[in-house]
Each structure stands twice: as structure tokens, then as C-alpha cells.
Amino acid sequence: MPKMTLLEMTQNILSAMDSDEVNSIGDTVESLQVAETVRETYWDITENSDIPGMKGLIGLTNSGDVDRPNILNVPEDGVRVEWLRYNNQLVSYLSPHDFVQYVLYQQDSESTITVDKLPIVTNAAPKYWTSFDDQSMFFNSYDSDEDSTLQQSKALCWGVRNHTFTMSDTFIPDLPSELFPMLLSEAKNSCFVNFKQVANSNEQRKATRQNIRWQNNKHKSGHPRPIDRLPNYGRSR
């Protein structure tokens, strides 16, 4: 199925429900409700599915605060960091509790400063990071001989990026084309339940099949399917 605009999906769902035809998602109360259901379904799919196309490099920003030189900030379009390298060295994530325990026992106390009541080493590249507010990345150390603060240009960060959903007729959701059938089927079934008080079993089955197909074939670059990663217990010849 090719990608569809929000208006095209709204019209498709309204037609399936034998509702009035519209030329814009805002023409009727029902058409606007249908469009909002498509939006809710989109967020549900993107938040609960591992979609490779929604991952990418996330540009971190420097705090610019010399009193907090061990901080880098995640931009608003970054919602989950999967890995981070600084100066091409992997920096591992620790939970806030484990991070605090680690930095409290860091060695070489003469080469530390206090940031937010925690000792931060000033003569070594960072090894660990955490976040106390889901926005700022708090590192255990930085090398003051190289830079006065951690530098965004030396950080390489990969993760899930946030995407927007615009309530306009011409908006096309940022999804792979393979996921549009599932988006349409799940939104259509939700509309039947919400507005007609009856489930659409046909659309439920479609959505289930499409979800299974997507999970098995979502990686175009040759990554193995989950079933392919299971041990082979068959008899070898």
C-alpha cells in the first residue's frame, strides 16, 4: 500500500462506516474525531514498535555552563538514547542509583570538582553517564586538559527520534510504507468500536497479520528475523 495522507485515511474510514463524505478532516465533527483516532493510533504504533526508520543519530548540545562541564543535553527530538560514544570511546549508561554509587567511589579525589553535590573527575575521558531529568546527560568525568567542558562535536549518539503529527489534510505520517496498512486497519477498528460500538473483526485480523508480517520483515538491510535467531535443533547431515 502506498503512503496516504491524513485526509485519505479519514475518507477511507468514513466510507467504511457509511458516514458522510468530506473534503477536509475538519468538515464534520465525526471526520475530525476520525482524524484524531488516526493520530492516536500512530502514536501507539510508534511507541510500541521497534521501527528502524525512526532511529538515527541524535545531535547533543553543549550545556555552555563552565560550572557544570560534564553535561550534554539531549534535544527535544531525541526520546531514547541507545548508545553513545565520546572521542570514539563507548560511554555506558548507568541508572541514577548505580551512577551515584560509582562516582562517590571514584579514585584520585585531588582531580575532582563537585557538580550537583557529586564528585566529577577532571582528568579523564568519560566512561559512564546517567540522566536525572530525562533531558541532561550527566557524565562521570571530563578531561580539562583538552576542553573546558564536554564538547558536542566529540559525541556520537544513536537513538530513537521524536516525530510530529500534524492535523492537516495533506499530512503524511512518518512511517515506512509497509506500516500504513496496519495504521489504517487499527485506526479503522478503533473508529468502529468508538463510534459504532461494534468491533470490526475483519480489520482486527488484518492488523494482526500486518503486525506479524512487519515484525518478520522490518529490517531491509538483512538483519535476521527473531525466529531466525533461535537455535537450530534439527539433525545435521
Side-chain angles (χ1 to χ4, degrees):
M1 173 186 289
K3 295 187 176 184
M4 301 173 68
T5 65
L6 181 57
L7 175 59
E8 289 171 335
M9 286 186 284
T10 299
Q11 291 171 326
N12 183 292
I13 294 171
L14 288 172
S15 175
M17 296 194 302
D18 292 326
S19 299
D20 294 335
E21 295 183 2
V22 297
N23 296 313
S24 173
I25 63 172
D27 280 356
T28 66
V29 172
E30 186 179 35
S31 64
L32 187 57
Q33 290 175 328
V34 168
E36 290 173 345
T37 301
V38 174
R39 177 174 62 180
E40 292 171 1
T41 306
Y42 169 81
W43 290 127
D44 184 64
I45 289 175
T46 56
E47 290 174 5
N48 293 289
S49 300
D50 180 19
I51 304 174
M54 301 192 76
K55 296 180 180 180
L57 292 174
I58 298 174
L60 304 179
T61 58
N62 191 302
S63 68
D65 187 349
V66 294
D67 294 326
R68 304 180 79 211
N70 63 314
I71 303 293
L72 290 174
N73 295 318
V74 180
E76 292 184 359
D77 65 344
V79 296
R80 188 175 71 246
V81 174
E82 293 196 352
W83 56 257
L84 170 71
R85 303 184 76 89
Y86 191 85
N87 263 353
N88 205 30
Q89 299 298 314
L90 184 66
V91 182
S92 301
Y93 170 80
L94 292 178
S95 69
H97 177 267
D98 291 342
F99 182 88
V100 170
Q101 280 193 315
Y102 176 82
V103 298
L104 289 178
Y105 291 99
Q106 289 187 122
Q107 301 300 312
D108 196 3
S109 59
E110 293 182 358
S111 299
T112 64
I113 60 172
T114 300
V115 179
D116 296 351
K117 300 182 180 180
L118 295 175
I120 301 302
V121 171
T122 62
N123 62 352
K127 292 182 178 180
Y128 299 103
W129 71 275
T130 195
S131 180
F132 300 108
D133 59 6
D134 285 334
Q135 190 65 45
S136 298
M137 303 179 75
F138 198 97
F139 294 80
N140 72 293
S141 63
Y142 78 105
D143 193 341
S144 60
D145 290 335
E146 291 189 4
D147 302 294
S148 58
T149 65
L150 291 177
Q151 300 297 305
Q152 61 195 59
S153 60
K154 296 183 178 182
L156 193 62
C157 182
W158 177 271
V160 179
R161 298 173 297 185
N162 203 356
H163 291 253
T164 59
F165 192 104
T166 304
M167 293 292 288
S168 68
D169 292 342
T170 57
F171 174 72
I172 299 176
D174 190 5
L175 284 176
S177 57
E178 299 93 327
L179 276 180
F180 271 77
M182 183 166 68
L183 172 61
L184 183 61
S185 291
E186 291 193 358
K188 189 178 297 183
N189 184 59
S190 294
C191 287
F192 269 90
V193 172
N194 295 336
F195 310 134
K196 298 295 184 180
Q197 284 74 53
V198 59
N200 189 318
S201 58
N202 184 47
E203 293 301 330
Q204 284 181 319
R205 288 193 295 270
K206 281 184 181 179
T208 299
R209 290 197 302 267
Q210 289 151 2
N211 186 35
I212 294 173
R213 186 180 303 114
W214 162 252
Q215 293 299 327
N216 286 336
N217 300 291
K218 61 184 176 182
H219 291 289
K220 295 181 179 179
S221 57
H223 290 272
R225 300 173 300 165
I227 193 172
D228 294 331
R229 291 193 291 266
L230 294 176
N232 181 3
Y233 294 110
R235 181 178 299 173
S236 60
R237 297 181 179 178

